Amino acid sequence: MSSDYSLVFPRAHGEPLGHAKFRAQPEDFYVDEDLGFTCDGAGEHVYLHIEKRGDNTEWLARNIARLAGVETRDVGYCGLKDRHAVTRQWFSVYFPKGDEPDWQALNSESVTLLAVERHRQKLRRGQHKSNRFVIVLREVQAQRDALEQRLQTVARQGVPNYFGEQRFGIDGGNLAAANRMLIEGIKVKNRHKRSLYLSSARSYLFNQVLAARIDQGCWRTPLPGDVLVDGAPTGPLWGRGRALSDDKALALEEQALAPWKPWLEPLEFTGLKQDRRALVSLPQQLSWQWLGDDLQLAFALGVGAYATAVLRELLELQTEPIML
């Protein structure tokens, strides 16, 4: 088992067709969260629909808790949205009785309150239906015909459902921390950090299996013994319990995870349960248009899928320093 946590994974549709500037400004990466349901209009939880620019989801949740006079744990949201972006998402606040604060006080140069509703349940992680992205890639240098053909392929076949690099921390730092926990037995008292490191480890193992299936040309094709979701193959999210796959699928997974065997048993004793994740991420309603030399993409992805998994199948991205 190597301590070099490579974050370079094989692509499914060939090498990048050129390069472009990515996130030159927050407005170049727009995310709109779709809950998939409407609020009841009554209940113990206040729902806040908020647009933020260049702000961290957890920071905003703490500000909401402070304004409401509640504990941070009483503020719910479906997921962490990119900081270097313009994002719209929902927050819930447990506020069963009493006079509500002036929620407009949340407004600032970077935060805009869009709506206030009431609902009967707290928002939970992963509860939303999808995220809608509008992404602008600047100064694209690629043959347009080839790039549009690649986009058509992605629309038909999808992309590998990799966990994005941000999952693993700067230079894979979360993986190094996970290794210290799992192998060296170092205790992490902070529950949030502990959960983050363990999640990073099992996400990395999933990526290893997905990479192996891409190398063997079967990332979209079910193998004997595969666990299918909507007819498509899945990969393991490691944890306690027997492997859910069997036969050739299990053999491939065991081979891919063999170098990481020292992580497997300790992960089983963390309380995490075996689970599965789709190997394929299919962008919904994928469209694009040229804005001079810039390319604007629009698409929706299901819960837990990364927009960067789509972009990496198209172009080499040059991340620009963001001015906030």
Side-chain angles (χ1 to χ4, degrees):
M1 177 175 169
S2 171
S3 59
D4 177 21
Y5 307 107
S6 173
L7 301 181
V8 179
F9 302 106
R11 293 173 168 86
H13 300 301
E15 291 303 306
L17 296 172
H19 55 86
K21 292 181 178 179
F22 180 48
R23 296 182 193 261
Q25 55 192 20
E27 286 76 10
D28 287 349
F29 197 91
Y30 174 81
V31 188
D32 190 0
E33 179 182 83
D34 179 8
L35 286 180
F37 63 88
T38 56
C39 295
D40 293 335
E44 295 185 326
H45 298 270
V46 177
Y47 272 41
L48 306 173
H49 194 204
I50 293 177
E51 179 177 286
K52 61 185 182 65
R53 179 186 185 274
D55 286 328
N56 180 284
T57 299
E58 293 176 319
W59 171 85
L60 185 51
R62 290 194 295 271
N63 281 0
I64 292 171
R66 191 177 304 116
L67 176 63
V70 301
E71 299 293 330
T72 304
R73 64 174 178 268
D74 293 324
V75 177
Y77 49 86
C78 296
L80 300 176
K81 296 294 187 287
D82 298 75
R83 176 187 175 190
H84 300 302
V86 175
T87 67
R88 289 186 173 191
Q89 71 179 118
W90 288 89
F91 294 81
S92 69
V93 187
Y94 181 62
F95 210 96
K97 56 185 177 180
D99 294 331
E100 293 182 28
D102 179 9
W103 300 113
Q104 296 294 332
L106 293 169
N107 288 326
S108 68
E109 290 185 359
S110 61
V111 173
T112 302
L113 178 66
L114 302 174
V116 180
E117 303 280 355
R118 277 274 181 178
H119 196 58
R120 66 185 185 281
Q121 294 178 337
K122 178 181 180 179
L123 281 175
R124 306 289 181 182
R125 294 295 184 94
Q127 185 178 352
H128 59 304
K129 178 183 177 182
S130 63
N131 291 305
R132 179 75 181 171
F133 298 88
V134 180
I135 298 170
V136 179
L137 303 177
R138 303 284 180 183
E139 299 178 27
V140 176
Q141 297 190 29
Q143 186 185 27
R144 292 194 179 190
D145 288 346
L147 185 53
E148 291 189 9
Q149 288 178 8
R150 179 70 62 83
L151 282 163
Q152 291 169 3
T153 299
V154 166
R156 291 193 311 271
Q157 300 184 4
V159 299
N161 195 21
Y162 285 124
F163 286 97
E165 288 188 14
Q166 57 266 50
R167 188 80 164 197
F168 309 117
I170 298 174
D171 297 325
N174 291 347
L175 298 172
N179 188 70
R180 290 192 291 270
M181 285 179 55
L182 298 171
I183 304 303
E184 301 173 27
I186 294 177
K187 303 294 184 182
V188 176
K189 294 182 179 180
N190 185 296
R191 291 179 60 185
H192 173 73
K193 289 184 177 180
R194 182 177 183 273
S195 176
L196 177 65
Y197 299 154
L198 294 177
S199 178
S200 297
R202 72 200 305 230
S203 299
Y204 193 68
L205 297 179
F206 172 89
N207 278 12
Q208 298 298 321
V209 172
L210 178 50
R213 293 193 64 145
I214 291 171
D215 285 339
Q216 297 187 29
C218 58
W219 67 285
R220 297 176 59 243
T221 307
L223 295 174
D226 251 327
V227 179
L228 304 181
V229 174
D230 296 327
T234 62
L237 294 172
W238 202 263
R240 177 166 46 87
R242 295 181 58 183
L244 301 176
S245 58
D246 200 354
D247 203 359
K248 290 185 178 180
L250 178 59
L252 185 151
E253 291 168 9
E254 289 177 339
Q255 182 180 17
L257 296 179
W260 303 94
K261 190 173 181 179
W263 278 7
L264 302 185
E265 185 173 345
L267 272 173
E268 294 171 10
F269 284 92
T270 62
L272 296 170
K273 295 181 180 180
Q274 282 268 349
D275 204 353
R276 307 290 293 189
R277 172 181 169 93
L279 297 179
V280 181
S281 174
L282 186 64
Q284 301 295 318
Q285 301 172 331
L286 173 60
S287 64
W288 58 89
Q289 63 175 319
W290 290 96
L291 308 172
D293 292 332
D294 303 335
L295 177 63
Q296 179 179 280
L297 304 171
F299 54 89
L301 294 174
V303 176
Y306 286 75
T308 49
V310 176
L311 303 180
R312 72 188 300 274
E313 293 291 335
L314 306 173
L315 297 161
E316 196 73 49
L317 303 178
Q318 300 170 346
T319 304
E320 294 289 291
I322 293 187
M323 304 300 291
L324 298 176

